[in-house]
Amino acid sequence: QRVNPGLAGISRFLSIPEWAVVCLGGSPVSELSLASRTGLLDVGEVAPFAGAVALLGRNLLSEVVVAGTPAGKARHEALPAGVRGAVLTVAGHDHQAAALAVGAARPNALFNSMGSAESLARCVEGPLDPAAVGRLAEQGLTAGWGVVSGRLAVLGGLRTGLLLEEFATLLGANDRESRRRLSEESLLLDAADLPVEVVARDGDAGLVPDLLAEGFSAAVIWAAAVRDLTARSTQLLARMAIELGPHQHVTVAGGWARNGYVVAEKRRQLGEITVSTLREAGSTGAALLAGVAADILEWPEADPSPIWSARAVVPRVTEREAS
């Protein structure tokens, strides 16, 4: 309000997914995993944050609901007839919906999303001590409610995928096939032959021409960059573990989880991991939660299967595509 006086009359805050539901004809809701990231919700009390209410002069949240809660039906006049009447729901934070789809929205499970960015999402049976939440925040981590009722998600994010893209491009690996070859060459290397700390800062991909001039091969530079970027992940996880204890299982998904050397380095530094074969895990998780809203699927915590989506027919990556 101080920056933009025109917002003084604002009466409600909606995230983009929540706004989309309203635009389609649904009811305004505040989904827990998204509301946890706004500063408007007291995560511990699951109620409007008194400090925000005092600052803004009002509560901007709508009814607080868990992902997969029905929020009305699609009834906008511009919608095709076949869509009208469909149940609407907000599926929540994308990485948490993805974690649900791959079976990692379970206590002490870790979901490692390797897309354009890297997300480390640790599922915790809630609630957390507020002091612990504060210490996690000091370490650059967030804690909020997840897409499964009663469970929290502690999240950390890195620019790993974007940096891998930049390194690969500078090394001349601009398509899937050239990156597969680069990965295969890297797998043949001895770790002792790799240069020390190729990636200390996000801008270090610009050092590639110098490293090539020094006689390092593209495969060596790639292996060192992947090693250093993976080490950043393990350092972030170590900070999580101080407050949460060690994780028990790791599931990796996303485009970079199909790169052989990236997966090999993950295994070297994290130990045993499961690489998901799901295509678009976030979209799959959202679709599964839509099934809950439409009363086609049970709530995730009511399903006895360890991987909730195991019964669903979902598109998966083939061996050819994974290579």
Side-chain angles (χ1 to χ4, degrees):
Q1 293 178 193
R2 285 191 291 265
V3 176
N4 188 344
L7 296 177
I10 190 170
S11 61
R12 191 189 305 274
F13 172 86
L14 295 170
S15 66
I16 290 177
E18 293 160 354
W19 174 243
V21 164
V22 171
C23 289
L24 291 170
S27 304
V29 296
S30 295
E31 188 278 328
L32 268 174
S33 69
L34 296 173
S36 294
R37 302 168 67 82
T38 63
L40 300 173
L41 181 77
D42 185 321
V43 174
E45 297 295 328
V46 196
F49 175 46
V53 172
L55 177 66
L56 299 169
R58 71 213 69 169
N59 169 32
L60 299 184
L61 293 175
S62 305
E63 178 189 2
V64 179
V65 301
V66 70
T69 300
K73 294 187 177 181
R75 53 186 175 82
H76 193 283
E77 61 183 15
L79 289 170
V83 176
R84 292 179 196 169
V87 177
L88 298 170
T89 190
V90 180
H93 187 268
D94 55 348
H95 289 136
Q96 295 187 49
L100 179 66
V102 302
R106 293 176 283 144
N108 298 320
L110 175 72
F111 176 57
N112 187 184
S113 174
M114 290 293 295
S116 297
E118 178 174 12
S119 175
L120 299 157
R122 173 82 179 271
C123 182
V124 181
E125 199 71 55
L128 279 174
D129 175 48
V133 173
R135 290 191 296 270
L136 287 165
E138 289 173 357
Q139 296 296 322
L141 301 162
T142 65
W145 291 103
V147 296
V148 176
S149 180
R151 295 177 191 167
L152 285 164
V154 176
L155 296 167
L158 297 164
R159 296 182 63 250
T160 308
L162 294 170
L163 294 170
L164 288 171
E165 182 79 28
E166 189 174 355
F167 267 95
T169 299
L170 289 170
L171 291 170
N174 298 305
D175 54 37
R176 180 181 295 167
E177 181 58 26
S178 60
R179 292 178 184 182
R180 183 187 64 77
R181 289 196 303 268
L182 183 62
S183 178
E184 289 178 349
E185 292 170 13
S186 298
L187 287 168
L188 300 175
L189 297 171
D190 187 328
D193 296 331
L194 304 182
V196 175
E197 200 172 44
V198 166
V199 186
R201 298 168 301 276
D202 281 359
D204 283 349
L207 299 176
V208 166
D210 294 336
L211 291 168
L212 290 171
E214 290 176 32
F216 292 110
S217 70
V220 165
I221 298 169
W222 177 250
V226 172
R227 175 204 62 201
D228 293 348
L229 290 169
T230 305
R232 288 184 172 190
S233 301
T234 59
Q235 290 160 8
L236 201 55
L237 290 175
R239 288 183 237 161
M240 271 192 202
I242 292 171
E243 297 296 337
L244 307 177
H247 56 261
Q248 295 177 353
H249 187 267
V250 183
T251 302
V252 182
W256 284 107
R258 299 170 199 167
N259 183 279
Y261 196 78
V262 170
V263 171
E265 192 60 39
K266 285 284 181 187
R267 289 199 166 106
R268 270 193 283 271
Q269 296 195 34
L270 295 179
E272 183 179 351
I273 64 173
T274 297
V275 179
S276 173
T277 58
L278 271 182
R279 297 177 188 266
E280 302 298 339
S283 299
T284 301
L288 292 169
L289 286 162
V292 169
D295 204 24
I296 297 170
L297 295 175
E298 293 180 334
W299 288 97
E301 66 270 30
D303 191 324
S305 63
I307 299 181
W308 179 60
S309 63
R311 297 178 304 152
V313 178
V314 291
R316 297 178 182 274
V317 177
T318 65
E319 289 185 12
R320 180 179 178 81
E321 290 169 325
S323 66

